[in-house]
Amino acid sequence: MAEQHGIQLYDTTLRDGSQQEGMTLTVDDKLAVARLLDGVGVDFIEGGWPGAVPRDTEFFHRATTELNLRHAQLAAFGATRRPDIAVGQDRQVRALLVAETPVITLVGKSHTGHVERALRTNLAENLAMIGSTVRHLALAGRRVFLDAEHYFDGYRLNPAYALEVVRTAADAGAEAVVLCDTNGGHLPDEIRRIVTDTLAATGAPLGIHCHNDSGCAVANSIAATDAGAIHVQGTAHGYGERCGNADLFTVIANLVLKRDLPLVTGDQLAHLTEAAAAITEITGVHPSSGAPYVGAQAFTHKAGLHAAALRVDPDLYQHTQPARVGNAMRTLVSDMGGRSSVELKARELGHEVAAGSAEVARAVTRIKQLESRGYSFESADASFELLLREELATAPAEPPFTVDTWQVSVVQGPGESARCQASVQAHVDGTPHIATADGDSPLVALDAALHRLLDPLFPRLTRLRLTGHHVRVLSTQADSAVTRVLVSYRDGERRWNTVGVAENAVTAGWQAQIEALRYVLLDEIPDARVVSLAAA
């Protein structure tokens, strides 16, 4: 357990993180995210605000029978009692107990301006509200944390009162008083100093809750733990309103790998990237692909200078081993790279190539030529592998199918939505075949026609799914119009991209679609030269 090693990991994705713009989680979503967070070893999962948010109330009700946490404890979130009301009569406080969680986290004011202008009460009553509510819940057998809202701003305004809030909560039985940088505007040196001073003045067990408005939420969280905080809060991917919260994935990895704190097991840490990706799929809110540790680009290398060094020793340009957090090193192939990039990428894809081989030299030359025409292989691994296999093949071979003609048109009747119709004619083993289909867009219609034509002949294609495409217009000059289309496919668990370049988006997308089909059929024609459209 992480708690045995001095620092508690507390996740608030399901409450504070869900305030992210564009995020709406169903109860099923919240249950699924909680299971994933449990798998990476967090100690506490804050599920929401029962009694105040109906969806959260339902979540806690279903969690009692549907959420079998192996490591984490579930926490309910709420406020201290209202001013001038007995704690036992406050219905929001009662709702916290009804949620039946082992942990309850209260938010309390520690900034005198918020006490007087937001709560509209006096400073003494605010302290009484904190003390009586914490004591009431602790006597009911709950573990209680107090989030001291706006603590760092409050401390700068009136340090004596902010410290008294901490003492009051701790004396009443709070397991930790969590100092909140609610506006997210402080820097690490300020956080470290105020945490140090607060600990020295109160002796209370302290936690940290940082927002990212100054871009320092993770650094501030680490600074607080260095200063003695024993409890750190954050969210998956740093989700949260405005600029978000501290990214708990980054915090966990930093504390384990940079501070050598055994807060989670090696297996739990190795699950971090997978869990992060799964949470992204559930929330629909995609973080930066360059997110530390778990991002798709976190261990990706493009420049030739880097690749040359990585070929000798991967640690030369990586601060930790990607596998420790469940990620992997990737090499991008582009005209910025050279032979080292191609060699590394080839090995990454399972192809053994000799250092400085003629095949690699030819591949590098072709890549530079094609990228000068608008191609980009750094996000199109499948197109790169087709090109590479052309250079590695010992003899040419016929492609699995040959397209004779294709066409696509847009049809719209009076009062009807526009539909695209596609027709494809191809030869397979000398026999002509033709198929037509329609769809919402040209590429979708062409994809449907290709499946109708080829699936009966190549059963492996039946699982292939078009998942999206990205269009970039590189030139709009009438005599040199160039458009690049990156097409994304899925085949079961495998995902990949292919690229096409032409004078218009439909033709470029069609090229990428054909490459994707030929990529799937590589194993049907082993050791053969698979002709890619990029070679044309």
Side-chain angles (χ1 to χ4, degrees):
M1 294 283 289
E3 292 184 78
Q4 297 174 344
H5 301 289
I7 295 179
Q8 300 168 335
L9 299 172
Y10 184 106
D11 181 272
T12 181
T13 302
L14 303 182
R15 199 271 307 173
D16 214 4
S18 66
Q19 297 181 62
Q20 168 91 28
E21 182 178 1
M23 186 188 299
T24 302
L25 300 179
T26 67
V27 175
D28 286 329
D29 291 337
K30 289 165 71 79
L31 291 167
V33 170
R35 295 184 187 102
L36 291 164
L37 293 169
D38 183 48
V40 300
V42 302
D43 298 302
F44 305 99
I45 299 171
E46 188 175 87
W49 193 324
V53 181
R55 187 184 296 118
D56 293 351
T57 302
E58 182 186 351
F59 167 79
F60 287 110
H61 175 70
R62 289 179 56 182
T64 59
T65 57
E66 299 180 35
L67 199 56
N68 184 25
L69 299 176
R70 295 168 295 174
H71 179 88
Q73 289 192 323
L74 201 60
F77 179 87
T80 60
R81 67 166 174 83
R82 289 171 291 166
D84 304 316
I85 293 178
V87 66
Q89 301 301 313
D90 191 299
R91 64 178 183 85
Q92 289 290 337
V93 175
R94 289 201 304 270
L96 292 171
L97 292 172
V98 170
E100 296 184 346
T101 59
V103 180
I104 294 174
T105 299
L106 296 169
V107 59
K109 301 295 186 183
S110 58
H111 185 296
T112 56
H114 282 268
V115 173
E116 295 169 339
R117 297 196 295 273
L119 278 182
R120 296 185 179 181
T121 191
N122 59 68
L123 302 184
E125 175 62 7
N126 179 60
L127 293 175
M129 290 159 55
I130 292 170
S132 63
T133 311
V134 170
R135 189 174 298 106
H136 179 75
L137 297 175
L139 289 173
R142 303 299 198 269
R143 302 175 69 177
V144 183
F145 300 122
L146 180 86
D147 281 0
E149 190 181 36
H150 293 283
Y151 183 81
F152 293 92
D153 291 311
Y155 185 90
R156 288 201 294 189
L157 177 66
N158 189 332
Y161 187 77
L163 291 172
E164 195 58 32
V165 167
V166 174
R167 294 190 188 96
T168 299
D171 291 345
E175 187 172 318
V177 181
V178 183
L179 312 183
C180 300
D181 185 20
T182 310
N183 288 339
H186 288 75
L187 301 178
D189 59 330
E190 298 174 292
I191 297 290
R192 183 181 293 106
R193 176 180 59 80
I194 293 174
V195 172
T196 299
D197 292 348
T198 301
L199 184 60
T202 66
L206 301 179
I208 186 70
H209 176 115
C210 293
H211 286 254
N212 200 41
D213 299 72
S214 63
C216 294
V218 169
N220 286 344
S221 299
I222 301 300
T225 62
D226 287 345
I230 62 166
H231 171 114
V232 59
Q233 297 188 358
T235 62
H237 297 301
Y239 290 145
E241 64 181 346
R242 304 189 316 274
C243 304
N245 290 40
D247 186 335
L248 195 60
F249 296 147
T250 307
V251 170
I252 290 172
N254 279 335
L255 290 177
V256 173
L257 299 176
K258 307 301 183 181
R259 292 293 189 259
D260 295 322
L261 297 174
L263 304 184
V264 300
T265 68
D267 288 343
Q268 289 168 333
L269 188 66
H271 185 58
L272 204 61
T273 298
E274 180 184 359
I279 290 172
T280 297
E281 290 297 318
I282 294 168
T283 64
V285 178
H286 294 261
S288 167
S289 57
Y293 296 104
V294 301
Q297 297 178 14
F299 299 96
T300 297
H301 306 275
K302 181 174 179 177
L305 179 63
H306 287 205
L310 288 165
R311 186 178 62 182
V312 177
D313 183 356
D315 291 338
L316 291 175
Y317 275 97
Q318 294 182 161
H319 69 104
T320 190
Q321 295 176 357
R324 298 191 69 180
V325 292
N327 212 331
M329 186 182 81
R330 295 171 58 238
T331 306
L332 300 182
V333 176
S334 76
D335 57 1
M336 289 182 62
R339 295 190 182 190
S340 297
S341 294
V342 172
E343 290 172 21
L344 283 171
K345 189 64 180 179
R347 292 170 186 168
E348 182 181 309
L349 295 172
H351 299 281
E352 288 300 324
V353 294
S357 66
E359 293 84 358
V360 169
R362 289 197 301 268
V364 170
T365 298
R366 282 189 60 196
I367 288 167
K368 292 181 182 293
Q369 291 173 343
L370 289 168
E371 294 213 341
S372 70
R373 291 163 46 190
Y375 284 84
S376 175
F377 293 94
E378 65 181 57
S379 298
D381 284 359
S383 291
F384 168 76
E385 186 163 5
L386 287 171
L387 183 152
L388 180 68
R389 286 183 61 142
E390 289 181 38
E391 301 302 336
L392 296 179
T394 56
E398 292 297 321
F401 61 89
T402 302
V403 175
D404 300 320
T405 62
W406 65 275
Q407 62 179 351
V408 63
S409 59
V410 180
V411 179
Q412 185 174 19
E416 297 178 352
S417 299
R419 296 286 295 172
C420 296
Q421 295 181 342
S423 175
V424 178
Q425 182 173 337
H427 273 76
V428 180
D429 293 331
T431 302
H433 299 267
I434 190 169
T436 61
D438 59 7
D440 295 330
S441 70
L443 293 190
V444 170
L446 287 167
D447 179 72
L450 286 167
H451 272 293
R452 186 168 293 175
L453 188 152
L454 296 173
D455 282 6
L457 305 170
F458 301 100
R460 289 192 59 188
L461 296 178
T462 58
R463 299 200 320 158
L464 186 65
R465 295 290 180 270
L466 175 67
T467 59
H469 69 280
H470 177 74
V471 179
R472 183 174 180 185
V473 178
L474 304 178
S475 172
T476 58
Q477 298 297 320
D479 58 347
S480 61
V482 178
T483 301
R484 179 169 67 225
V485 176
L486 189 73
V487 176
S488 302
Y489 279 90
R490 184 180 74 245
D491 180 6
E493 295 299 318
R494 293 196 309 156
R495 297 173 183 266
W496 67 87
N497 300 326
T498 50
V499 64
V501 173
E503 66 280 1
N504 62 74
V506 177
T507 303
W510 165 257
Q511 292 180 2
Q513 286 180 301
I514 295 300
E515 289 221 330
L517 299 183
R518 289 174 172 160
Y519 175 73
V520 175
L521 297 175
L522 279 174
D523 293 338
E524 304 268 334
I525 43 175
D527 299 322
R529 180 184 293 268
V530 183
V531 179
S532 70
L533 292 172

